[in-house]
């Protein structure tokens, strides 16, 4: 079951909502979670959305695996729809469009994915100074 928490913030006369999420692991639950989140978060408010999405945005660059299992299209569609409807962009991917780096790893299965992300509205994008992902001590061979 997914969870989220939202706070309202005012910064330099701009009001926005900061929402941290933990999306469900199971695809069907995750798709429903993103649909519910889309109903709760208003596109009429500036948003910052962050957390563990348990789904990658781009299977070609945000995931490595020797497994033939791929993320479900419904989850990818739901997360893309949510981000697009809210007018958000991926802070890390905006800065590093072709860099593969991962926030979750399963070394014994040779799987790594970037599941943790920050999405911001355009007003906040110009305020972002640095975006980085610090590697864990676990290594996954490519």
């Amino acid at each position: 079951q997914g969870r989220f928490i939202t706070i309202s913030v005012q910064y330099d006369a701009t009001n926005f909502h900061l929402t941290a999420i933990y999306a469900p692991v199971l695809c069907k639950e995750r798709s429903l979670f993103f649909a519910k989140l889309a109903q709760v978060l208003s596109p009429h408010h500036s948003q910052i959305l962050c957390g563990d999405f348990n789904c990658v945005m781009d299977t070609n660059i945000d995931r490595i695996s020797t497994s033939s299992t791929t993320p479900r299209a419904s989850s990818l569609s739901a997360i893309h729809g949510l981000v697009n409807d809210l007018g958000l962009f991926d802070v890390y991917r905006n800065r590093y469009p072709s860099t593969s780096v991962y926030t979750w790893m399963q070394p014994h299965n040779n799987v790594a994915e970037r599941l943790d992300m920050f999405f911001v509205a355009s007003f906040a994008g110009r305020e972002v100074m640095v975006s980085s992902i610090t590697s864990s001590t676990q290594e996954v061979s490519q």
Side-chain angles (χ1 to χ4, degrees):
Q1 209 175 35
R3 296 171 190 81
F4 66 93
I5 185 169
T6 300
I7 62 170
S8 296
V9 178
Q10 183 175 18
Y11 176 77
D12 284 347
T14 301
N15 294 317
F16 64 93
H17 296 265
L18 171 62
T19 302
I21 72 162
Y22 175 71
V25 174
L26 298 177
C27 180
K28 184 176 180 181
E29 291 177 9
R30 189 170 48 245
S31 296
L32 292 172
F33 173 76
F34 289 137
K36 171 85 172 177
L37 200 56
Q39 293 172 356
V40 173
L41 301 180
S42 171
H44 304 292
H45 292 96
S46 295
Q47 304 282 344
I48 295 177
L49 181 62
C50 62
D52 182 345
F53 288 75
N54 268 315
C55 185
V56 299
M57 287 294 288
D58 184 333
T59 56
N60 295 317
I61 194 168
D62 293 329
R63 182 174 200 272
I64 59 169
S65 175
T66 55
S67 166
S68 60
T69 305
T70 59
R72 302 263 193 255
S74 60
S75 286
L76 293 174
S77 176
I79 190 173
H80 281 276
L82 174 65
V83 168
N84 290 336
D85 289 349
L86 294 174
L88 305 177
F89 69 92
D90 181 340
V91 174
Y92 186 83
R93 188 58 61 222
N94 186 60
R95 293 248 172 167
Y96 308 102
S98 60
T99 301
S100 292
V101 65
Y102 311 103
T103 61
W104 177 83
M105 297 176 200
Q106 199 174 50
H108 62 279
N109 287 336
N110 226 21
V111 177
E113 299 175 322
R114 185 173 72 100
L115 303 177
D116 303 276
M117 295 171 270
F118 265 88
F119 295 95
V120 299
S122 58
F123 87 91
R126 64 181 175 269
E127 303 295 333
V128 175
M129 306 281 293
V130 176
S131 178
S132 63
I133 296 174
T134 303
S135 297
S136 71
T137 57
Q138 298 175 335
E139 294 296 325
V140 175
S141 60
Q142 290 192 21

